[in-house]
Every structure is written in structure tokens, then in C-alpha cells.
């Protein structure tokens, strides 16, 4: 098998969503409140379908189960999930559990480590990462008494910024931000505060006890790597993060980028421009453009990207 696996995204409408995925990516979104595009996902809440090729129409979860040779990591479930998030309004302030807590309290689910590449944002856009409580007691007091301004200090962001969000980290994407998120395949979120908003006339559920249980105190900022691994003429591959669950890279292709002896399957999202993909051993050339998402199986060890485009690439790590 030496062909890429293209996937059809699954869209989610959210009270904070917008329409930038239609206007900027050309997706056929279900409404002007589309908050999330699950672009590479085998999660039961949004299991992508293969678009074209040998496995056309198959769910990614099924491909992962029935063709382990394409992935070679022998996990029970496909481990990663790639999303685009369009935040027209603020997302709730939230936190995710780690694997241990999620496994015990959320029916054996994975925990959630995630990272954000800022695709675009308003000039004055901000994001929330971390909190100001020094101890669990202070944290509980701030949360239970709604002292949000004491607990949280937003920070400014700009296009191209990248953040790693470890489990236990208080975080929120704020309005005017378009993000590409790479995360563990999990849908477990504990909401601390939702700005008092209503959805269908009711506030969305909060999870204060679980939040206080899992929030790391005091907050520790996790830096990111930004190490340039390949640089050939104008093209380069930069490692953004290397954590327990994944590695994420930014690939800038101006001309060609050649990958040889690749030992893992890789997830790709074209975030800018257009070009082509060819896999050694195959005559076929695949056209790529902004908004396309695909997996290059482990069986394709040598492949070439060409054109003028930027991609976010990720790979799962054994853990
Ligand atoms: Zn999150």
C-alpha cells in the first residue's frame, strides 16, 4: 500500500462557532456557528471517512483496526485527533484530565494533552493558559467564589504562535482566533466557567469538582521546542513539540521537501497554499491545497511534497 489516505472532515456546531471554515477553507459547513472541524479523527464522536483510493468510504476507526500494517503502533484506538477551531466568541475556561484520571473517572477514556498552532487571529486576540492560584485551597476558593479575574490572566497571541497544553492546565481559546489543534483522541473536558452563557435556554454543565481535582497547582508553563530539523533552500521542517504522546512539526515547502526512510505514519494538514504529493514506487501524483487533511501510512517510507505550501505534520509516539 503506497498511497496517502485522504479524509473527509466532520463538523461541529458550537455556541461560540463561526463561518470562517466556509469562507477561508471552502468547507461545506452545516451553519454559521461551526466551531470545530474534526479533520483527522477516529473518535466515536466524529469518526472521519476515507475520501478516495483503496479504502474509500471506510471510517478511520475501521481502517485502523483492520489494517494495522499501515500504522504499526498497535494501540487499542487511533491515538490522535486533529481539529480546526473557529472561535467567533470565547470558549469556556476549561481543563482536561490525564490518562490516569480519565481512565478511572471517564469510562476508560484517554486523557487529553493538546497543542495549538494559531492559524490566524484578530489583532488584539488573547488566549488563556495557566492560572494565578498558588495552592489547591486558593484555587478552590477562587473557583467556588467566581473570582475569575484573580484566577486568570489572558495573554496576547499572534498568527504562527504555538502552545502545548498539558493535562491539568487551565486554558481557553478566546474570540477571533482560528486554531489547528493536535491532541490525544479524547473528548473529555471539564468546564470551570462559561461566562454565564445559555445554550437552548440553559447553561452548559460545569465540572467544578473534577476541575479542582485535576488542575496543576501552581501552574507550570510548558515551553515548546521550535527546532529546525531540515532546511533545504527555502523549504524547512521545524519541530514544534515533542511530548509523551506526539510530535508536531511545521513544514514549509517552497520547491520540494523530500522525506526518506520514514519509520512512522504521519498526519498532515495543508494550512496555506497548494502543491503536490508523490510517493516513491507509485506513478500517481496527488494535488494538495489549503484545507486538505491526509495520513501517509507507515508503508510509504519515501515521499515528496512539492509546490508552495505550509503544512502541520504530526506523528504519534509509543507510550
Ligand atoms: Zn482543551
Amino acid at each position: 500500500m503506497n498511497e496517502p489516505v485522504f479524509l473527509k472532515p466532520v463538523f461541529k456546531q458550537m455556541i461560540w462557532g463561526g463561518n470562517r471554515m466556509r469562507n477561508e477553507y471552502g468547507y461545506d459547513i452545516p451553519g454559521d456557528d461551526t466551531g470545530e472541524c474534526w479533520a483527522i479523527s477516529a473518535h466515536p464522536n466524529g469518526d472521519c471517512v476515507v475520501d478516495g483510493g483503496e479504502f474509500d468510504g471506510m471510517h478511520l476507526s475501521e481502517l485502523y483496526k483492520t489494517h494495522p500494517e499501515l500504522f504499526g503502533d498497535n494501540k487499542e484506538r487511533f491515538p490522535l485527533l486533529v481539529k480546526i477551531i473557529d472561535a467567533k466568541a470565547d470558549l469556556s475556561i476549561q481543563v482536561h484530565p490525564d490518562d490516569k484520571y480519565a481512565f478511572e473517572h471517564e469510562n476508560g477514556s484517554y486523557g487529553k494533552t493538546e497543542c495549538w498552532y494559531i492559524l490566524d487571529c484578530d489583532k488584539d486576540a488573547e488566549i488563556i493558559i495557566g492560572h494565578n492560584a498558588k495552592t489547591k485551597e486558593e484555587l478552590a476558593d477562587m473557583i467556588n467564589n467566581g473570582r475569575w479575574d484573580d484566577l486568570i490572566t489572558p495573554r496576547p497571541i499572534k498568527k504562527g504562535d504555538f502552545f502545548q497544553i498539558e493535562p491539568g492546565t487551565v486554558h481557553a481559546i478566546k474570540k477571533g482566533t482560528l486554531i489547528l489543534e493536535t491532541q490525544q483522541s479524547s473528548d473529555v473536558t471539564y468546564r470551570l466557567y462559561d461566562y454565564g452563557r445559555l445554550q437552548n435556554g440553559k447553561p452548559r454543565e460545569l465540572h467544578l469538582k473534577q476541575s479542582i481535582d485535576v488542575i496543576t497547582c501552581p501552574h507550570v508553563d510548558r515551553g515548546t521546542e521550535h527546532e529546525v530539523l531540515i532546511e533545504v533552500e527555502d523549504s524547512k521542517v521545524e519541530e514544534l513539540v515533542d511530548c509523551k504522546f506526539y510530535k508536531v512539526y511545521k513544514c514549509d515547502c517552497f520547491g520540494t521537501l523530500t522525506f526518506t526512510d520514514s519509520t512512522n505514519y504521519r498526519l498532515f494538514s495543508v494550512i496555506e497554499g497548494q502543491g503536490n504529493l508523490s510517493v516513491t514506487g507509485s506513478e500517481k501524483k496527488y494535488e494538495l491545497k489549503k484545507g486538505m487533511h491526509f495520513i501517509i501510512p507507515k508503508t510509504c517510507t519515501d515521499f515528496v511534497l512539492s509546490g508552495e505550501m505550509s503544512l502541520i505534520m504530526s506523528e504519534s509516539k509509543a507510550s
Side-chain angles (χ1 to χ4, degrees):
M1 209 329 251
N2 56 1
E3 56 180 55
V5 176
F6 287 90
L7 295 161
K8 279 187 201 152
V10 174
F11 297 98
K12 304 268 178 182
Q13 289 168 278
M14 298 286 184
I15 54 174
W16 43 260
N19 58 21
R20 294 183 71 180
M21 295 197 222
R22 180 195 299 126
N23 300 342
E24 292 177 35
Y25 290 84
Y27 296 138
D28 184 17
I29 55 173
D32 287 333
D33 58 351
T34 301
E36 299 191 351
C37 160
W38 291 27
I40 304 178
S41 164
H43 193 281
N45 297 353
D47 194 356
C48 294
V49 167
V50 177
D51 189 10
E54 192 179 333
F55 304 108
D56 186 40
M58 193 185 273
H59 282 284
L60 181 56
S61 61
E62 193 188 343
L63 182 67
Y64 188 73
K65 266 204 195 89
T66 56
H67 290 273
E69 74 284 1
L70 302 181
F71 303 93
D73 57 358
N74 300 316
K75 291 185 186 352
E76 205 178 309
R77 289 159 281 174
F78 185 77
L80 298 181
L81 201 170
V82 176
K83 285 181 188 174
I84 295 176
I85 294 176
D86 172 11
K88 189 179 172 191
D90 294 340
L91 273 72
S92 63
I93 299 176
Q94 54 185 251
V95 63
H96 305 297
D98 62 11
D99 279 353
K100 186 165 178 285
Y101 192 93
F103 195 81
E104 281 169 24
H105 297 86
E106 304 292 344
N107 300 317
S109 169
Y110 286 137
K112 188 160 155 187
T113 300
E114 66 188 42
C115 61
W116 300 335
Y117 180 85
I118 310 296
L119 293 167
D120 197 16
C121 62
D122 291 350
K123 219 168 138 252
D124 55 353
E126 295 180 317
I127 219 149
I128 291 168
I129 298 172
H131 62 82
N132 302 320
K134 306 247 171 344
T135 62
K136 283 271 181 188
E137 291 69 40
E138 197 182 4
L139 176 79
D141 179 64
M142 286 173 169
I143 291 175
N144 291 328
N145 294 302
R147 294 168 53 202
W148 305 114
D149 291 342
D150 294 332
L151 183 67
I152 300 295
T153 312
R155 55 177 94 181
I157 51 165
K158 59 182 191 312
K159 185 175 173 170
D161 282 349
F162 180 78
F163 303 98
Q164 167 81 351
I165 312 291
E166 299 286 342
T169 305
V170 174
H171 62 280
I173 297 170
K174 293 178 67 66
K175 66 174 166 31
T177 311
L178 198 62
I179 275 180
L180 186 129
E181 180 176 84
T182 306
Q183 57 164 94
Q184 284 181 275
S185 184
S186 166
D187 205 15
V188 182
T189 295
Y190 299 139
R191 215 175 270 134
L192 284 80
Y193 181 54
D194 201 25
Y195 308 95
R197 289 182 294 201
L198 303 179
Q199 181 174 41
N200 306 320
K202 278 189 258 159
R204 298 194 293 174
E205 195 187 349
L206 299 178
H207 317 88
L208 301 188
K209 184 197 171 291
Q210 295 94 322
S211 296
I212 294 166
D213 276 353
V214 305
I215 291 170
T216 306
C217 261
H219 168 69
V220 182
D221 227 37
R222 163 67 153 92
T224 50
E225 270 75 52
H226 296 278
E227 186 188 344
V228 175
L229 302 181
I230 302 175
E231 196 157 18
V232 187
E233 291 171 8
D234 294 332
S235 298
K236 69 170 195 243
V237 177
E238 181 185 11
E239 182 181 291
L240 300 175
V241 71
D242 177 357
C243 75
K244 192 173 156 198
F245 301 101
Y246 49 71
K247 287 188 188 188
V248 176
Y249 311 82
K250 171 136 187 274
C251 304
D252 290 307
C253 175
F254 294 97
T256 59
L257 255 180
T258 303
F259 294 78
T260 51
D261 301 324
S262 180
T263 56
N264 202 353
Y265 65 97
R266 291 164 189 267
L267 284 54
F268 285 91
S269 299
V270 186
I271 60 167
E272 205 72 68
Q274 54 192 339
N276 290 288
L277 162 69
S278 51
V279 179
T280 306
S282 164
E283 299 292 295
K284 276 194 210 159
K285 210 169 192 184
Y286 301 89
E287 270 179 39
L288 301 178
K289 65 173 203 287
K290 179 176 171 176
M292 290 177 91
H293 307 271
F294 57 97
I295 298 170
I296 301 214
K298 185 185 163 85
T299 46
C300 301
T301 55
D302 298 76
F303 55 93
V304 180
L305 299 171
S306 59
E308 297 205 353
M309 57 184 173
S310 293
L311 307 95
I312 298 294
M313 172 174 86
S314 55
E315 59 184 315
S316 159
K317 280 175 65 173
S319 59

